[in-house]
Amino acid sequence: MADGLRHKLLHKVESSGVKGDSLSKKVWDESKKMWVIAGPAIFTRASTFGLGVITQAFIGHIGPTELAAFSIVQTVLLRFANGILLGMASGLETLCGQSFGAKQYHMLGLHLQKSWLVLTVTATILLPIFIFTSPILKALGQDNTISDVSGIISLWSIPVLYSFVLSFTCQMFLQAQSKNIIIAYLAAVTLAIHIFLSWLLTVKFKYGLPGAMISTILAYWLPNIGQLVFVIGGGCRQTWIGFSTLAFTDLWPIIKLSLSSGVMLCLELWYNTILVLLTGNLKNAEIAIDALAICLNINGWEMMISLGFLAAVSVRVANELGRGSSRHAIFSIYNCVVQSSIIGFVLFVFFLFFRGRLAYIFTNSQEVAKEVDHLSTLLAFSILLNSVQPVLSGVAVGAGWQSIVAYVNIGCYYLLGIPIGVVLGYVVNWGVKGVWIGMLIGTLIQTAVLCSITFKTDWDKQVAIAQRRVSRWLVNTDSPDLS
């Protein structure tokens, strides 16, 4: 795959008038711009993802029921909410990236405030799901004991739900300006604090689930406070020009873009959630859920790298489209896909080698570790696909194609992947392996479709669309409302 992409990259560059002897310099310059965004984004996402993994590791040593319950809350509920809020916030990524590329810096702060309003309302709408988790899970056929404990954990997770609003929006606001290094510093400090507090409250003082969840809540909110201080306190003088009543005006276009973004991304994140729910109806559900949760956590760690590339390519594409350069947008896409694919292949080989031995990081159960070993091949192929698919989704975010990709996701994931998985898992009786194989098929088809869309796009036309979008929300910088 990498060789084919590299060949197409060379062809595109040459056809765009870039001389062959300057290609290495072009790649180097573009890579520096990309890694300024991708490096901190990968570290931040890995650190943030690590918060849940650390909590899971401590809870896993409290008991298998608690581990299974937390796995469901984290993988189903929090991922459900995460998918909606992160997806809706990605609309901000499109607007801020293109506005920054067009040098309409004052618009970034207004887009941020509008997004705060939209996401806060959305989080409140999601609140009943967290309050009534236990009866909802029981109605879906989950084990009663696991459902009851999940209900307790979900109530503790409500502050985490609202932390997503500030976290996602501030990250995308700063990424659009390539200022996300501050987020990485905050994530590193928070991760260290979370490890210490989790040990202190669950091991030293033996507060059990309440201790683990208190540490988790603090870990999600501390970076938000730091980001707000940085943004409002003078770290973004060009792009943050104060609170404005204009944030309450012309919200409907923002809502529409946020909704299409939310549908696009949450359809992807819910895909794995459905895998967990289907597994909960199989025999030996507790072992199956624990093993699958461990695999998805390992997969999630690697996914943080891909999401870093997603952030980088979305910012680079949005900036270049806003700036009016279709050629540089194309170059950014190919450069990012090739580098992400190479890293994905290396990790594919790595996880094939270690297999079930990694399970002992999360559990003491030999049965769970054995099940993880059986699933390791599927895990490795998931990692390989993750190195390409999220990057292409990032291209869609940068260009503002969220609604198109939403339809692609529905067709590939929900009309093909899940039905195939159900047939293989329940009819053919392959269990969790069959369900996972079917869903991998859906991901493979979705990746192929996104590749086709990206390669066939008229990028000059996308530049015109981006410039119209920027001018749509343009306001007068001299307005007294902005001061």
Side-chain angles (χ1 to χ4, degrees), residues 206-464:
K206 300 187 183 301
Y207 287 158
L209 275 177
M213 295 309 299
I214 288 171
S215 178
T216 301
I217 292 168
L218 290 174
Y220 276 98
W221 272 99
L222 286 176
N224 289 346
I225 296 171
Q227 290 173 41
L228 278 176
V229 170
F230 179 80
V231 171
I232 298 175
C236 302
R237 295 186 184 278
Q238 277 188 308
T239 53
W240 177 263
I241 48 182
F243 291 99
S244 171
T245 56
L246 289 176
F248 295 90
T249 63
D250 202 21
L251 281 173
W252 179 240
I254 299 287
I255 292 172
K256 287 195 296 184
L257 182 60
S258 296
L259 286 174
S260 62
S261 300
V263 171
M264 182 200 93
L265 193 57
C266 69
L267 285 174
E268 296 183 11
L269 296 179
W270 291 350
Y271 203 38
N272 286 338
T273 299
I274 292 173
L275 179 57
V276 174
L277 290 174
L278 290 174
T279 303
N281 292 310
L282 296 170
K283 295 179 180 179
N284 299 319
E286 190 171 289
I287 293 175
I289 290 175
D290 285 351
L292 184 60
I294 289 171
C295 287
L296 292 179
N297 266 308
I298 295 172
N299 187 49
W301 277 106
E302 188 278 333
M303 190 70 170
M304 297 307 103
I305 299 175
S306 298
L307 289 177
F309 278 103
L310 183 156
V313 75
S314 64
V315 170
R316 292 295 302 129
V317 169
N319 286 172
E320 295 300 338
L321 291 180
R323 191 167 69 91
S325 176
S326 61
R327 180 170 61 85
H328 284 92
I330 294 169
F331 194 87
S332 297
I333 293 168
Y334 285 104
N335 183 66
C336 197
V337 170
V338 169
Q339 293 194 36
S340 180
S341 299
I342 293 171
I343 293 173
F345 181 76
V346 172
L347 291 174
F348 167 77
V349 175
F350 175 83
F351 286 108
L352 270 184
F353 176 77
F354 278 98
R355 302 181 69 83
R357 281 171 283 184
L358 293 171
Y360 289 104
I361 298 174
F362 306 96
T363 182
N364 296 323
S365 171
Q366 292 185 356
E367 288 182 312
V368 173
K370 185 178 180 181
E371 184 66 20
V372 171
D373 186 74
H374 291 159
L375 296 173
S376 60
T377 301
L378 296 177
L379 171 62
F381 277 102
S382 293
I383 288 170
L384 188 61
L385 281 176
N386 283 347
S387 66
V388 179
Q389 184 272 330
V391 180
L392 297 175
S393 293
V395 175
V397 171
W401 301 340
Q402 288 92 331
S403 59
I404 297 174
V405 179
Y407 288 115
V408 174
N409 290 349
I410 290 172
C412 297
Y413 289 161
Y414 296 88
L415 299 183
L416 292 174
I418 291 174
I420 293 173
V422 170
V423 170
L424 294 178
Y426 288 87
V427 179
V428 183
N429 224 11
W430 285 1
V432 64
K433 283 187 177 181
V435 175
W436 200 342
I437 289 172
M439 299 180 84
L440 276 176
I441 291 172
T443 303
L444 180 62
I445 295 172
Q446 188 249 21
T447 303
V449 172
L450 290 184
C451 281
S452 177
I453 292 173
T454 302
F455 293 155
K456 293 180 180 179
T457 293
D458 181 346
W459 288 98
D460 290 326
K461 183 178 179 180
Q462 296 303 313
V463 166

Side-chain angles (χ1 to χ4, degrees), residues 55-91:
T55 303
Q56 185 178 38
F58 279 98
I59 290 177
H61 293 285
I62 295 173
T65 300
E66 288 81 1
L67 175 61
F70 180 78
S71 299
I72 289 177
V73 171
Q74 184 184 39
T75 311
V76 178
L77 281 188
L78 285 177
R79 183 164 290 177
F80 176 85
N82 185 295
I84 292 176
L85 295 174
L86 179 60
M88 293 185 73
S90 74

